[in-house]
């Protein structure tokens, strides 16, 4: 009889069906359905949450990546001026450990300043970079310049000679700085002295274009100009106050920083470059460390909370299988008396729990992917309904509701990045948890004594 049960998968299947069928099936199926629903919802929510946070991180990194330099080199001597910046750039470009990791190396000027219009002053960050070709600027081929979205081509052709500036696109809406407007810039110029303090350079500039990076902070506060014009404006003839590097990958930033310091500390470099020891290096990852860390922390905490849904479903599975075993004690005793091995009893109830887990994982996975892809549309419909019904309750005092304020991160739509390997990992974990949840009640069922079970039931 043991041989017959072991060698016939059909008998095993029929045995499983026999054990599951009884007068209390309706009650048990309700418990199984609850576990199934909770687990499916948990898997779907986990996929949606992680897809949104992955999308936020990816979009934020892309906007930061496009918005400015990746590595910045500055000097703490000579008032921050780097006079030998051309030599330093050649050293970096010729370094065998660095040239394969970087895209471009440029000298530039960056400083805080004030922009004036109609007797109102606005704080801005002024950045000056080399613009060798207007065509390359317009076609977005300059690595150190953000994407131009609105411009006057004729004025851009004189960018290296005339007093023209390019503003962030958000400044057009915030301060009403339109194309062709005349603005006054005030910046610190020259050296600091105890008698005179800080000298101020003031000059009128004309808005010749707007750029857009996708980073709200960047697009609402930065002003770009060409390097030759800035050197005259800041009174920094033939010098810059920073050297900027565009890297090929975010993963190369930390390595490139270490190799830059190794280069600066080399004997040949120190002999050729004045004040080589005063050079410092910082990366965009360090500047945005708090923002990226906060986003990662939110992602981790919410993922843990949502994962508790799956654990709760697994605990419900334990109770469901345990109730099933109690209801089937007599049937289990009869089958064991007929020769069904304890290992098969264990396998039947464990597979029963795993089957529920597999179905819940598949349902939750498909539902999660669908919700993640449709979430922006769904939220849009909800906003429309709220804003449609809201004025009827509050009257003219109603303020339109925006459930996902996109200006916080300056995204055109809710970013979603669906990671297929992660979905596979989540569904696999849910299935394994279901099997573990069903194993312990199944082990108790396999250990039942057939004689005592039949006699007592």
């Amino acid at each position: 009889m043991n041989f017959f049960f072991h060698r016939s998968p059909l008998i095993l299947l029929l045995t499983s069906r026999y054990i599951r069928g009884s007068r209390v099936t309706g009650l048990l199926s309700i418990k199984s359905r609850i576990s199934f629903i909770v687990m499916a919802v948990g898997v779907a929510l986990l996929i949606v949450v992680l897809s949104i946070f992955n999308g936020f991180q990816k979009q934020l990194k892309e906007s930061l990546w496009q918005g400015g330099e990746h590595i910045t080199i500055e000097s703490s001597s000579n008032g921050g001026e780097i006079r030998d910046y051309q030599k330093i750039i050649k050293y970096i470009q010729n370094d065998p450990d660095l040239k394969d990791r970087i895209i471009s190396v440029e000298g530039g000027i960056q400083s805080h300043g004030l922009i004036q219009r109609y007797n109102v002053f606005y704080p801005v960050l002024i950045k000056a970079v080399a613009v060798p070709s207007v065509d390359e600027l317009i076609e977005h081929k300059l690595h150190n310049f953000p994407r131009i979205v609105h411009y006057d081509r004729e004025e851009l052709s004189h960018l290296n000679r005339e007093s023209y500036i390019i503003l962030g696109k958000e400044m057009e809406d915030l301060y009403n700085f339109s194309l062709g407007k005349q603005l006054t810039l005030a910046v610190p110029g020259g050296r600091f002295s105890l008698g005179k303090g800080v000298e101020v350079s003031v000059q009128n500039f004309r808005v010749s274009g707007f750029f857009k990076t996708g980073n709200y902070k960047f697009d609402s506060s930065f002003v770009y100009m060409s390097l030759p014009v800035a050197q005259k404006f800041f009174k920094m003839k033939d010098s810059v106050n920073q050297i900027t590097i565009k890297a090929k990958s975010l993963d190369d930033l930390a390595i490139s920083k270490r190799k830059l310091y190794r280069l600066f500390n080399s004997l040949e470099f120190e002999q050729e470059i004045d004040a080589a020891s005063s050079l410092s290096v910082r990366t965009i990852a360090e500047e945005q460390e708090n923002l990226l860390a906060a986003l990662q922390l939110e992602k981790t905490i919410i993922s843990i909370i949502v994962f508790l849904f799956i654990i709760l479903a697994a605990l419900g599975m334990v109770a469901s299988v345990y109730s099933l075993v109690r209801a089937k004690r007599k049937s289990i005793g009869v089958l064991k008396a007929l020769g069904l091995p304890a290992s098969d009893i264990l396998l039947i109830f464990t597979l029963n729990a795993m089957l529920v887990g597999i179905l819940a994982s598949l349902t939750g996975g498909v539902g999660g992917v669908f919700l993640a892809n449709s979430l922006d549309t769904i939220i849009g419909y909800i906003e429309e309904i709220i804003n449609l019904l809201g004025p009827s309750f509050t009257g003219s005092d109603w303020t339109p509701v925006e459930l996902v304020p996109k200006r916080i991160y300056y995204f055109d739509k809710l970013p979603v990045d669906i990671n297929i390997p992660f979905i596979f990992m989540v569904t696999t974990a849910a299935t394994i948890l279901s099997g573990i949840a069903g194993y312990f009640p199944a082990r108790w069922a396999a250990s039942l004594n057939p004689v005592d079970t039949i006699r007592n039931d």
Side-chain angles (χ1 to χ4, degrees), residues 297-456:
L297 180 61
E298 292 175 2
K299 174 182 174 182
T300 302
I301 293 175
I302 294 180
S303 298
I304 292 174
I305 293 173
V306 175
F307 192 72
L308 292 177
F309 275 69
I310 301 177
I311 296 178
L312 177 63
L315 294 176
M317 196 77 67
V318 173
S320 177
V321 178
Y322 181 78
S323 300
L324 179 61
V325 172
R326 287 184 60 87
K328 300 297 183 179
R329 284 168 57 95
K330 185 175 181 179
S331 301
I332 294 170
V334 171
L335 291 172
K336 291 190 71 174
L338 291 175
L340 185 67
S343 59
D344 286 355
I345 299 290
L346 178 66
L347 182 62
I348 289 169
F349 285 99
T350 303
L351 289 178
N352 181 70
M354 289 192 69
L355 180 61
V356 176
I358 292 172
L359 293 176
S361 299
L362 292 176
T363 304
V366 173
V369 171
F370 173 77
L371 283 175
N373 285 322
S374 307
L375 194 59
D376 197 56
T377 304
I378 294 172
I379 291 176
Y381 286 141
I382 296 174
E383 286 180 356
E384 290 181 6
I385 294 172
I386 294 175
N387 291 326
L388 182 63
L389 300 177
S392 61
F393 294 99
T394 61
S396 59
D397 295 333
W398 174 258
T399 301
V401 173
E402 189 177 5
L403 297 179
V404 182
K406 297 179 178 63
R407 290 178 71 90
I408 294 177
Y409 293 104
Y410 194 49
F411 297 151
D412 296 330
K413 63 179 182 179
L414 190 67
V416 174
D417 181 27
I418 297 175
N419 191 329
I420 299 300
F422 171 77
I423 294 175
F424 177 77
M425 182 185 69
V426 171
T427 53
T428 302
T431 303
I432 292 174
L433 282 175
S434 300
I436 294 174
Y439 172 78
F440 294 101
R443 187 175 179 181
W444 174 62
S447 66
L448 292 175
N449 188 304
V451 177
D452 294 339
T453 302
I454 295 172
R455 182 189 302 122
N456 296 333

Side-chain angles (χ1 to χ4, degrees), residues 114-124 150 165-185 205-211 219-223:
L114 294 173
I115 193 167
Q116 179 189 12
R117 186 164 183 252
Y118 300 141
N119 296 322
V120 179
F121 292 87
Y122 305 98
V124 294
H150 186 202
I165 55 176
I166 300 175
L167 308 180
K169 184 62 177 175
E170 284 299 312
M171 299 178 73
E172 183 178 18
D173 299 327
L174 284 175
Y175 309 128
N176 195 26
F177 292 163
S178 57
L179 199 66
K181 290 294 183 180
Q182 197 81 10
L183 302 174
T184 302
L185 286 179
F205 288 85
R206 184 179 173 88
V207 180
S208 59
F210 293 94
F211 66 84
D219 292 350
S220 62
S221 59
F222 268 78
V223 175

Side-chain angles (χ1 to χ4, degrees), residues 63-357:
S63 64
L64 293 175
W65 198 246
Q66 297 171 5
E69 62 279 352
H70 303 157
I71 301 174
T72 303
I73 301 171
E74 295 179 331
S75 175
S76 58
S77 63
N78 299 322
E81 292 188 26
I82 306 176
R83 297 170 181 171
D84 298 330
Y85 75 96
Q86 296 287 6
K87 290 183 180 180
I88 297 174
I89 290 175
K90 288 182 179 180
Y91 266 102
I92 295 174
Q93 290 175 334
N94 295 329
D95 189 284
D97 295 330
L98 288 169
K99 63 182 181 180
D100 293 333
R101 299 180 183 275
I102 62 178
I103 299 174
S104 65
V105 187
E106 305 282 350
I109 296 174
Q110 181 170 310
S111 173
H112 291 274
L114 294 173
I115 193 167
Q116 179 189 12
R117 186 164 183 252
Y118 300 141
N119 296 322
V120 179
F121 292 87
Y122 305 98
V124 294
L125 281 168
I126 301 171
K127 190 169 184 62
V129 298
V131 184
S133 169
V134 176
D135 291 333
E136 290 181 341
L137 173 63
I138 295 174
E139 295 171 5
H140 315 142
K141 294 182 179 180
L142 297 182
H143 299 296
N144 59 345
F145 212 105
R147 180 168 57 95
I148 301 293
V149 293
H150 186 202
Y151 56 88
D152 185 318
R153 187 185 182 92
E154 178 63 27
E155 292 185 353
L156 286 182
S157 63
H158 303 290
L159 192 64
N160 286 319
R161 300 187 303 273
E162 305 293 338
S163 299
Y164 293 119
I165 55 176
I166 300 175
L167 308 180
K169 184 62 177 175
E170 284 299 312
M171 299 178 73
E172 183 178 18
D173 299 327
L174 284 175
Y175 309 128
N176 195 26
F177 292 163
S178 57
L179 199 66
K181 290 294 183 180
Q182 197 81 10
L183 302 174
T184 302
L185 286 179
V187 298
R191 292 181 175 275
F192 171 79
S193 64
L194 293 176
K196 296 181 179 180
V198 179
E199 298 180 11
V200 178
S201 294
V202 180
Q203 187 174 330
N204 293 327
F205 288 85
R206 184 179 173 88
V207 180
S208 59
F210 293 94
F211 66 84
K212 182 178 180 180
T213 64
N215 186 314
Y216 179 77
K217 180 180 178 181
F218 202 95
D219 292 350
S220 62
S221 59
F222 268 78
V223 175
Y224 270 74
M225 66 176 63
S226 69
L227 183 59
V229 172
Q231 287 174 330
K232 295 179 182 178
F233 184 37
F234 285 90
K235 300 178 181 179
M236 296 174 62
K237 184 178 180 180
D238 298 328
S239 63
V240 298
N241 65 4
Q242 62 178 212
I243 297 172
T244 60
I245 298 174
K246 282 279 188 178
K248 292 183 178 179
S249 171
L250 276 172
D251 300 330
D252 291 335
L253 296 184
I255 298 175
S256 298
K257 180 178 179 178
R258 291 197 298 268
K259 294 186 179 299
L260 282 170
Y261 275 122
R262 186 183 302 172
L263 172 65
F264 296 161
N265 293 327
S266 64
L267 181 61
E268 181 183 357
F269 187 88
E270 290 180 343
Q271 291 175 346
E272 287 288 331
I273 305 299
D274 295 336
S277 59
S278 67
L279 297 177
S280 61
V281 182
R282 72 174 190 272
T283 67
I284 191 172
E286 294 170 342
E287 293 176 358
Q288 303 294 334
E289 183 178 5
N290 292 337
L291 178 60
L292 296 175
L295 197 61
Q296 181 63 38
L297 180 61
E298 292 175 2
K299 174 182 174 182
T300 302
I301 293 175
I302 294 180
S303 298
I304 292 174
I305 293 173
V306 175
F307 192 72
L308 292 177
F309 275 69
I310 301 177
I311 296 178
L312 177 63
L315 294 176
M317 196 77 67
V318 173
S320 177
V321 178
Y322 181 78
S323 300
L324 179 61
V325 172
R326 287 184 60 87
K328 300 297 183 179
R329 284 168 57 95
K330 185 175 181 179
S331 301
I332 294 170
V334 171
L335 291 172
K336 291 190 71 174
L338 291 175
L340 185 67
S343 59
D344 286 355
I345 299 290
L346 178 66
L347 182 62
I348 289 169
F349 285 99
T350 303
L351 289 178
N352 181 70
M354 289 192 69
L355 180 61
V356 176

